[in-house]
Amino acid sequence: MRLQAHSKARMNDESISPSLLDRAREGQHEALEELLTRNRSRFQRAAGARLGEGLRRRVRASDVLQSTYVDVLSSIQDFRGTSEEDFARWVVRILETNIRDASPTSATHLP
């Protein structure tokens, strides 16, 4: 019974997601904020897991997330996915790029 309720809730999320995605792509900040909020813990876990111990001494996960959210806001119209899962994976890829860019071994940090 519990599994059935979870599956039904997931179906409802999936049916809402395309509308949210469309609205977010159209520039409706409330829709984008909802998508980011729904997946916040996933993004926080991804940031924590991908920041190595050494980089954590220099960069806070919250700073990388903030930078990622700014990048998402400025490029949401280019997102081509069709589901909330696609959106979450896209955001994590942006997050990974920002972490790579923050690394002292990144080409952007070389003189």
Side-chain angles (χ1 to χ4, degrees):
M1 185 72 146
R2 189 177 209 180
L3 180 60
Q4 224 175 10
H6 178 69
S7 296
K8 189 173 184 178
R10 181 150 176 85
M11 281 187 359
N12 287 341
D13 283 349
E14 288 300 316
S15 66
I16 292 171
S17 294
S19 173
L20 273 177
L21 290 171
D22 291 341
R23 291 184 4 235
R25 272 192 280 258
E26 292 167 0
Q28 292 184 16
H29 296 288
E30 298 82 12
L32 181 57
E33 183 178 353
E34 184 172 340
L35 285 166
L36 292 171
T37 299
R38 283 177 166 198
N39 293 281
R40 177 180 293 143
S41 63
R42 178 179 181 167
F43 302 146
Q44 289 170 333
R45 283 191 311 272
R50 286 163 176 81
L51 280 173
E53 188 177 313
L55 192 53
R56 260 192 218 114
R57 292 184 199 126
R58 295 185 44 233
V59 179
R60 292 188 340 215
S62 61
D63 292 337
V64 174
L65 282 168
Q66 186 68 27
S67 176
T68 298
Y69 295 157
V70 169
D71 291 343
V72 168
L73 178 64
S74 67
S75 59
I76 186 63
Q77 70 280 355
D78 298 328
F79 172 66
R80 298 293 175 240
T82 58
S83 70
E84 190 168 334
E85 181 62 26
D86 290 343
F87 173 78
R89 284 193 301 260
W90 179 70
V91 172
V92 169
R93 283 194 304 273
I94 293 170
L95 172 74
E96 290 168 341
T97 298
N98 287 337
I99 290 172
R100 227 179 357 263
D101 290 348
S103 171
T105 59
S106 169
T108 60
H109 286 88
L110 296 177

